[in-house]
């Protein structure tokens, strides 16, 4: 809010648009989707008024507007926003946000039962994250493969992948990004209802004992 005030005092559209985007992100995390959409659409309008100079900023804002649509249970709108961002990010060569955007598309697809499409998007996200050496993104992809396994009722496989993801996060002292963490927590709750405590523990511990390379190979072996 202070950044937004300063941006307005300075008449600096980039600072204003960035502050509005960050306010939108916070409202999304807090579950205030109407407020988040308002902030993000205001941010997007300013970036677009900047023309070519605002192309990157507008694309990043579109990604987070897609997250709001996703959380607000509007998959068609979310898909259109993500697909638009993916096209522009490919043009810009922004591998970091591209990896994030295609992972969000994958999430939409596996929630719709489009597992082949979800796997293809998730594999691209994994490859992009490996290209830019982003361990958080790589681990998020492991959690994504666990989500697909959960959706396909392969609960033991999912538990092993989630155990592997947990170990890797702990070893680096990091946590998943908000959208990935929400999905992870939903799937963990489902596993706790579908598997008895000992079975869940056994497969979780199998995952705990895997290296990152072993976990990636396991995630990909059936895909």
């Amino acid at each position: 809010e202070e950044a937004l005030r300063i941006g307005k005092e300075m008449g600096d559209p980039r600072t204003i648009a960035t502050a509005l985007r960050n306010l939108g992100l916070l409202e999304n995390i807090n579950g205030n989707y109407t407020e988040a959409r308002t902030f993000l659409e205001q941010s997007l309008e300013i970036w677009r008024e900047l023309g070519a100079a605002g192309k990157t900023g507008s694309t990043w804002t579109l990604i987070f507007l897609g997250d709001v649509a996703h959380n607000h249970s509007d998959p068609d709108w979310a898909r259109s926003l993500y697909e638009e961002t993916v096209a522009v990010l490919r043009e810009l060569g922004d591998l970091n946000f591209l990896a994030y955007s295609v992972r969000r598309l994958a999430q939409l697809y596996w929630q719709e039962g489009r597992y082949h499409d979800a796997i293809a998007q998730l594999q691209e996200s994994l490859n992009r994250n490996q290209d830019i050496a982003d361990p958080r993104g790589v681990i998020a992809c492991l959690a994504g493969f666990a989500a697909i396994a959960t959706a396909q009722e392969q609960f033991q496989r999912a538990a092993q992948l989630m155990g592997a993801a947990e170990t890797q996060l702990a070893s680096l002292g990091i946590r998943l990004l908000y959208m990935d963490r929400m999905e992870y927590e939903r799937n963990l709750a489902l596993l706790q209802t579908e598997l008895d405590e000992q079975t869940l523990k056994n497969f979780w511990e199998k995952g705990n004992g895997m290296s990152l390379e072993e976990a990636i190979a396991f995630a990909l072996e059936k895909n």
Side-chain angles (χ1 to χ4, degrees):
E1 289 173 346
E2 185 174 0
L4 179 59
R5 177 181 59 78
I6 293 170
K8 288 180 177 179
E9 288 177 357
M10 296 173 60
D12 181 352
R14 288 178 175 274
T15 298
I16 296 169
T18 302
L20 287 167
R21 182 173 65 221
N22 289 338
L23 285 168
L25 283 170
L26 288 170
E27 294 294 353
N28 184 39
I29 290 170
N30 290 327
N32 301 322
Y33 303 130
T34 300
E35 293 84 351
R37 177 175 180 172
T38 297
F39 281 127
L40 290 166
E41 288 182 337
Q42 290 173 353
S43 173
L44 183 61
E45 181 179 359
I46 294 169
W47 287 120
R48 285 179 165 167
E49 287 174 353
L50 292 172
K55 192 168 188 178
T56 297
S58 67
T59 305
W60 293 1
T61 300
L62 277 172
I63 295 171
F64 301 127
L65 193 56
D67 290 349
V68 172
H70 196 160
N71 288 336
H72 201 42
S73 300
D74 193 338
D76 292 336
W77 184 37
R79 187 183 306 104
S80 69
L81 291 167
Y82 290 142
E83 288 174 348
E84 182 178 354
T85 62
V86 166
V88 178
L89 290 167
R90 292 193 196 283
E91 177 187 336
L92 294 173
D94 186 336
L95 299 185
N96 185 15
F97 274 93
L98 179 59
Y100 179 86
S101 297
V102 295
R103 190 162 70 251
R104 295 282 70 80
L105 271 177
Q107 185 178 1
L108 282 175
Y109 291 153
W110 73 62
Q111 289 174 347
E112 296 171 352
R114 296 171 56 183
Y115 302 124
H116 178 77
D117 292 330
I119 288 168
Q121 295 292 332
L122 201 53
Q123 285 178 325
E124 179 177 0
S125 182
L126 175 62
N127 292 338
R128 300 297 186 187
N129 282 303
Q130 288 176 315
D131 289 342
I132 61 175
D134 180 358
R136 191 197 312 268
V138 170
I139 297 166
C141 290
L142 288 180
F145 282 112
I148 293 173
T150 302
Q152 294 178 312
E153 299 186 353
Q154 299 172 2
F155 300 120
Q156 295 175 351
R157 174 179 171 79
Q160 189 167 338
L161 285 167
M162 291 180 72
E166 179 190 58
T167 293
Q168 296 302 319
L169 290 169
S171 70
L172 295 171
I174 59 176
R175 23 186 327 200
L176 294 172
L177 295 175
Y178 171 68
M179 292 290 288
D180 297 308
R181 191 166 70 250
M182 284 181 62
E183 180 73 11
Y184 180 94
E185 290 171 354
R186 280 194 294 266
N187 288 311
L188 176 57
L190 183 57
L191 289 180
Q192 289 170 335
T193 64
E194 295 293 340
L195 294 175
D196 64 80
E197 183 176 351
Q198 189 59 50
T199 300
L200 177 58
K201 180 181 178 182
N202 289 345
F203 282 92
W204 197 275
E205 288 179 349
K206 281 187 178 182
N208 286 159
M210 301 176 85
S211 68
L212 180 58
E213 292 74 18
E214 289 170 338
I216 291 171
F218 179 66
L220 295 174
E221 69 180 19
K222 292 186 178 182
N223 299 314

